[in-house]
Amino acid sequence: MDAEAGAAAAQQLPWRQHYRNLLLLAYQSFGVVYGDLSTSPLYVYKSTFSGRLRQYQDEQTVYGVLSLIFWTFTLVPLLKYVIIVLSADDNGEGGPFALYSLLCRHAKLSLIPNQQAADEELSTYYRDGFAAQHESSPWLRRFLEKHKIVKTGLLVVVLCAASMVIGDGVLTPAISVLSSMSGLQVQATGLQERSVVLLSCIVLVGLFSLQHRGTQKVAFMFAPIVIIWLFCIGGIGLYNIVHWNPNIYQAISPYYIVKFFRTTGTDGWIALGGILLSMTGSEAMFADLGHFTSASVRLAFITIIYPCLILQYMGQAAFLSKNMFHTRTSFYDSIPGPVFWPVFVVATLAAVVGSQAVISATFSIVKQCHALGCFPRVKIVHTSRWIHGQIYIPEINWILMVLCVAVTVAFGDTTLIGNAYGIACMTVMLVTTFLMSFIIIFVWQKNIIFALLFLLFFGSIETVYLSSSLMKVHQGGWVPLVLAFIFMSVMFVWHYGTKKKYQFDLQNKVSMRSILSLGPNLGIVRVPGIGLIYTELVTGVPAIFTHFVTNLPAFHEVLVFLCVKSVPVPYVQPDERYLVGRIGPKAYRMYRCIVRYGYKDVQRDDENFENMLVMSIARFIMMEAEDVSSSASYDIANEGRMAVIRTTDDAGTPLGMRDLGGLAESISTTRSSKSESLRSLQSSYEQESPSAGRRRRVRFELPNEDAMDQQVKDELLALVEAKHAGAAYIMGHSYIKARRSSNFVKKFAIDVAYSFLRKNCRGPSVSLHIPHISLIEVGMIYYV
C-alpha cells in the first residue's frame, strides 16, 4: 500500500508543478499583458459622451452605452482574442508579425529574398500536425503564391499594422497618464488644465528615461499594482451598483442597443468611437504573449480581468444613470470620498504599467520589422540575461518620448487623444482579423467557410467601429494616420532599397566556373589567416570578392563567405543556427557559412563567434570525410550542398580548445601575419575596448589520431594555423544609386530617401558587432 501511495504521489507531482507554473505565469501576465486593457475605464465614458451624445443625457442612453460596452468587450477581447486568436501563436509568439510569419511558412508568401529549402527543415518551421496534402483550398494557395502583387499587398497590410502599433506606443502613454492625472481636478478644483498637462509630461519623461534599465523585473514589480487596481475598480463598481442603481444589470440585454440607435441615430454611431476604447489593449494582449502561455493568459482574463472590468463599467453606468452631469470625470466622481487618494495613486501607477506594456511591444515590433528587412538598422540592447527577447532600442525610445510629449501638450485633452487612439487600435484589430482568416485556411487547414464566417462576423463589427472613428479625423484622428504614413514610408523605402541591392548582388555574382579556372591559389597570393567575407548571398561568390582581389591581388589562406540572415520563425535553436558548406575543391580552402536568426532572436556580441565558426567548419570537414560520396572528386553540381552543424554537442569534436591566460602567450606561441606595429595597435585597442578585453582567448589543438585520414588532417591543420594567424572581416561599403534611365519616383526613393536612411542609421559592421581593428571595408557602387 505504501508503494502504491508513493507511486500515486509521484504521478500527482508533475500535475501540481504544472498548475503551480500556470498560476505563476497567470500572475506575471498581469504586469505585462493587461496594463493597457485594465486602464480603459479611466476614459471610456468621458470619450463616449464628449460629442453630440451630450444631447441625450438620460437613463436609457446610459443603458444603451453600457449594453454596447458589455457586448463589445465580450465579443472582441473575450471571444475573438482570448478564445480564438490566442490559439494562433507562432511558437509562443503573438502579434501581426507572428501571424504573417506563419502564413509565409505555410503558404510561401514571404518576400525575404535569400530563403533556402534548408530553412524548411527547422524544427519550428511548420506547425505541429501540419500536412500539405490535407489542405482544403489548394486553389487559393496557388493564386496567392503565383501573383507577386498579392504578396506585396499582404506585406503592406502588415507594415500598416506595425506602423499603427508604433502609433499606439505614442498615444497609449499620453492618454493613460493624462487620464489618471486629470483626477487631481476632482479634489483640487482650482487646478488648471495646463498644470495637469505639465505634471503628465513630467511623468512621461520619467517613464521613458527609465526604459534603458530594461523590463526583466517588470512582471514581478508591476503585477501587484495591476491586481490591486483591478480589485479596486471592481469593488468600486460593485459599490456603485448597490448604492446607485441595483437594476443596472438589465442593460446587458441587446434590446437597449436597438433602442439606443433608434433614439440617437447618427449621433449614436459617431459615439462608437468612444465605446471602442473599452477594448483597446486587446491587441497588446496578443502581441505581448511571448513569455507566457495561452492557458495562463486565458486564466487571468476569465477569472479576474473580465469580471472586474465588467463590474467597473456597470458601476460607472449606475452612477451616471443618477448623475448625468458628471460624464467628464465620471470615474473619479464615482469613487467614494474616503478611498479617493489611494485609488488615485494606484490609478497613476496602473497608467504607467499600461504604458510600459505598449512601449515594450513597440520595441518588439521594430525588431521584427528590422529582421524582415523593413526597418533601418538601430541599436538593440538585450536587457536581461534570463528572459529572452527583453530588448531596449534607444533611438525608438527617444522618438516615442518626443512624439508622446508633443501629443500631450498639443491636445491636452483625453477626448482628442482618444479619437486618434481608437483609429490606431481598430486598424490593428482589423488587420489581425484579416490575417486570421488566412491562418484558419492555411495553418489550421479548416474549410474556407469557417474563415469567411470569422472574417464576416468580426470584420463587420470592427469595420463599424473603425468607420465611426474615421469620422473624427479632423478632431485628432489625423495623428495616427500621419504617424502611420511616415513609418510606413520609412519601412517601404528601406525594404525597396535593400531588395534592389540584393538583386544587384544576385545578378553580378561570380560564376563557379570562373573561380575554378583560376586554380587553388585563385591567381593571387594567399597569406596566413582567415578571411571572413560578409555577403547576403546564400549561393555563389559575391562581386565584392573580385572587386577586392582586382585592386589588391592577395587574400587569406582560408576564405569563409559568411551570410547572417533572418528566417521567418521567432527563434532558431542553437543546434540549427549554423549551415556550413564548401566552395570549390578541398585544395581551395573556401567555405560558406550561413548563420540563421529568427525575428525575435537578438544577435548578441558573442565573444566566441570566431571560435564557434572555426569549430563548425572543422566539424563539417569531419562530416564530409565520413560521407563517402562527397569525398570523391569535386562536382560543380553539388555546389549548393550544406550541412547543419550542431554547436552544443561536444561529442565527436575534431579539435581541442585550450584557454590562454593572456594575449602575450597567444601571440608568442602562434604564427602571425601581423607586423610588430599592428600587434602594438591591437594591444592598445584591446586595452581601450572593454568588449575586446573580455574576449575569450583560446588555442585550438589537433589531436594525435593515427586513424584520421591524412588529407583531412592537413585540412584541419591549415584551418587551425589560419585561426591562430588571425581573422579579418571583409565587408562591402556600398553606395547605391538609381540608374540614369530610372523615373523620378525611383530616383527620389533611392538617391534621396534610402540614401538618407543609410547615412543616419547604424552601420552593418556595428550591427554585426565586428571588431573595428579587424575590419576591412571595400567600396562598391550599386546602380539599381
Side-chain angles (χ1 to χ4, degrees), residues 426-476:
M426 290 315 304
T427 303
V428 179
M429 288 184 180
L430 202 55
V431 171
T432 298
T433 301
F434 175 72
L435 294 175
M436 269 300 301
S437 62
F438 288 110
I439 294 291
I440 293 171
I441 299 172
F442 297 124
V443 182
W444 292 354
Q445 298 184 315
K446 303 296 183 182
N447 194 289
I448 193 172
I449 300 297
F450 293 105
L452 289 174
L453 290 174
F454 180 88
L455 180 62
L456 290 173
F457 182 73
F458 291 107
S460 60
I461 294 174
E462 290 159 359
T463 302
V464 169
Y465 277 109
L466 181 61
S467 65
S468 172
S469 297
L470 291 174
M471 294 297 295
K472 300 180 180 179
V473 169
H474 63 288
Q475 299 176 357

Side-chain angles (χ1 to χ4, degrees), residues 176-209:
S176 298
V177 173
L178 190 58
S179 298
S180 64
M181 298 304 292
S182 64
L184 289 171
Q185 293 179 303
V186 174
Q187 295 292 326
T189 53
L191 192 66
Q192 297 181 350
E193 290 283 351
R194 57 187 177 184
S195 301
V196 174
V197 171
L198 178 61
L199 290 172
S200 300
C201 291
I202 293 173
V203 173
L204 288 171
V205 171
L207 172 65
F208 284 101
S209 299

Side-chain angles (χ1 to χ4, degrees), residues 274-295:
I275 292 171
L276 68 85
L277 295 177
S278 63
M279 55 182 172
T280 55
S282 302
E283 190 61 41
M285 174 175 64
F286 180 47
D288 287 331
L289 183 62
H291 304 298
F292 309 99
T293 61
S294 299

Side-chain angles (χ1 to χ4, degrees), residues 376-644:
R377 291 179 293 269
V378 290
K379 182 179 182 180
I380 299 175
V381 181
H382 200 280
T383 58
S384 174
R385 296 180 181 178
W386 301 278
I387 303 177
H388 195 80
Q390 291 287 354
I391 59 174
Y392 165 68
I393 304 178
E395 298 94 328
I396 300 300
N397 182 66
W398 302 124
I399 290 172
L400 290 179
M401 187 191 77
V402 171
L403 291 175
C404 189
V405 171
V407 166
T408 306
V409 172
F411 290 144
D413 183 14
T414 56
T415 301
L416 296 176
I417 301 175
N419 295 338
Y421 189 30
I423 292 178
C425 290
M426 290 315 304
T427 303
V428 179
M429 288 184 180
L430 202 55
V431 171
T432 298
T433 301
F434 175 72
L435 294 175
M436 269 300 301
S437 62
F438 288 110
I439 294 291
I440 293 171
I441 299 172
F442 297 124
V443 182
W444 292 354
Q445 298 184 315
K446 303 296 183 182
N447 194 289
I448 193 172
I449 300 297
F450 293 105
L452 289 174
L453 290 174
F454 180 88
L455 180 62
L456 290 173
F457 182 73
F458 291 107
S460 60
I461 294 174
E462 290 159 359
T463 302
V464 169
Y465 277 109
L466 181 61
S467 65
S468 172
S469 297
L470 291 174
M471 294 297 295
K472 300 180 180 179
V473 169
H474 63 288
Q475 299 176 357
W478 56 270
V479 172
L481 300 178
V482 171
L483 291 176
F485 176 78
I486 294 172
F487 283 109
M488 274 194 69
S489 300
V490 169
M491 292 177 187
F492 200 77
V493 166
W494 185 262
H495 177 74
Y496 179 75
T498 304
K499 185 179 176 182
K500 288 295 181 182
K501 179 179 178 294
Y502 177 82
Q503 290 175 348
F504 182 91
D505 279 333
L506 197 63
Q507 294 166 3
N508 293 275
K509 67 180 181 180
V510 184
S511 67
M512 279 310 303
R513 284 186 169 80
S514 62
I515 292 291
L516 294 175
S517 66
L518 299 175
N521 285 331
L522 303 178
I524 56 178
V525 178
R526 303 293 288 268
V527 298
I530 296 179
L532 300 175
I533 305 167
Y534 278 83
T535 175
E536 293 180 3
L537 299 177
V538 293
T539 58
V541 176
I544 179 182
F545 175 70
T546 54
H547 188 68
F548 182 88
V549 297
T550 301
N551 292 278
L552 182 64
F555 224 90
H556 301 82
E557 285 181 347
V558 175
L559 295 179
V560 181
F561 292 91
L562 188 62
C563 175
V564 179
K565 72 169 192 174
S566 295
V567 289
V569 297
Y571 302 104
V572 176
Q573 299 297 328
D575 279 341
E576 299 176 321
R577 194 176 301 283
Y578 289 86
L579 276 175
V580 181
R582 186 185 295 280
I583 298 178
K586 295 182 179 180
Y588 283 56
R589 303 290 191 261
M590 295 170 64
Y591 308 94
R592 181 183 308 282
C593 181
I594 298 174
V595 186
R596 302 179 291 186
Y597 289 94
Y599 60 80
K600 292 282 284 186
D601 280 322
V602 176
Q603 302 175 26
R604 302 189 190 186
D605 186 5
D606 199 338
E607 305 158 6
N608 291 323
F609 178 73
E610 285 181 23
N611 300 332
M612 293 178 67
L613 186 63
V614 170
M615 191 64 74
S616 298
I617 294 173
R619 289 182 176 181
F620 168 77
I621 294 171
M622 294 295 295
M623 288 175 59
E624 192 182 43
E626 295 171 0
D627 187 357
V628 179
S629 61
S630 64
S631 61
S633 59
Y634 175 74
D635 184 1
I636 196 172
N638 295 330
E639 174 59 32
R641 291 182 59 185
M642 303 191 75
V644 178

Side-chain angles (χ1 to χ4, degrees), residues 74-288:
T74 301
L75 292 176
V76 179
L78 179 60
L79 180 59
K80 176 190 167 183
Y81 279 95
V82 173
I83 296 178
I84 301 176
V85 175
L86 287 184
S87 301
D89 63 292
D90 182 12
N91 295 288
E93 296 299 323
F97 266 101
L99 300 180
Y100 178 68
S101 172
L102 278 173
L103 287 177
C104 288
R105 303 202 303 269
H106 292 80
K108 293 181 174 54
L109 299 175
S110 176
L111 287 175
I112 300 177
N114 55 359
Q115 298 301 294
Q116 303 168 273
D119 297 338
E120 298 182 19
E121 298 175 5
L122 291 169
S123 59
T124 55
Y125 197 85
Y126 288 112
R127 193 177 180 90
D128 292 340
F130 174 79
Q133 63 270 21
H134 296 157
E135 190 173 344
S136 61
S137 304
W139 59 269
L140 182 59
R141 174 198 288 270
R142 289 193 297 268
F143 174 80
L144 295 175
E145 293 178 350
K146 181 180 178 181
H147 295 84
K148 186 178 178 181
I149 190 172
V150 176
K151 297 180 183 180
T152 305
L154 187 63
L155 178 63
V156 169
V157 168
V158 174
L159 292 182
C160 176
S163 301
M164 289 296 183
V165 170
I166 298 174
D168 279 352
V170 174
L171 299 171
T172 299
I175 191 172
S176 298
V177 173
L178 190 58
S179 298
S180 64
M181 298 304 292
S182 64
L184 289 171
Q185 293 179 303
V186 174
Q187 295 292 326
T189 53
L191 192 66
Q192 297 181 350
E193 290 283 351
R194 57 187 177 184
S195 301
V196 174
V197 171
L198 178 61
L199 290 172
S200 300
C201 291
I202 293 173
V203 173
L204 288 171
V205 171
L207 172 65
F208 284 101
S209 299
L210 293 174
Q211 291 299 312
H212 70 281
R213 296 187 177 273
T215 57
Q216 64 265 30
K217 297 180 180 178
V218 67
F220 286 103
M221 289 171 53
F222 288 165
I225 296 173
V226 177
I227 292 174
I228 293 171
W229 165 251
L230 287 167
F231 282 125
C232 280
I233 62 176
I236 292 170
L238 186 60
Y239 166 82
N240 285 325
I241 292 170
V242 174
H243 185 264
W244 293 106
N245 191 349
N247 296 322
I248 195 68
Y249 69 90
Q250 296 175 358
I252 293 176
S253 172
Y255 163 75
Y256 288 97
I257 297 178
V258 177
K259 193 172 181 180
F260 172 80
F261 284 115
R262 281 180 181 172
T263 304
T264 60
T266 306
D267 296 336
W269 169 60
I270 295 175
L272 292 176
I275 292 171
L276 68 85
L277 295 177
S278 63
M279 55 182 172
T280 55
S282 302
E283 190 61 41
M285 174 175 64
F286 180 47
D288 287 331

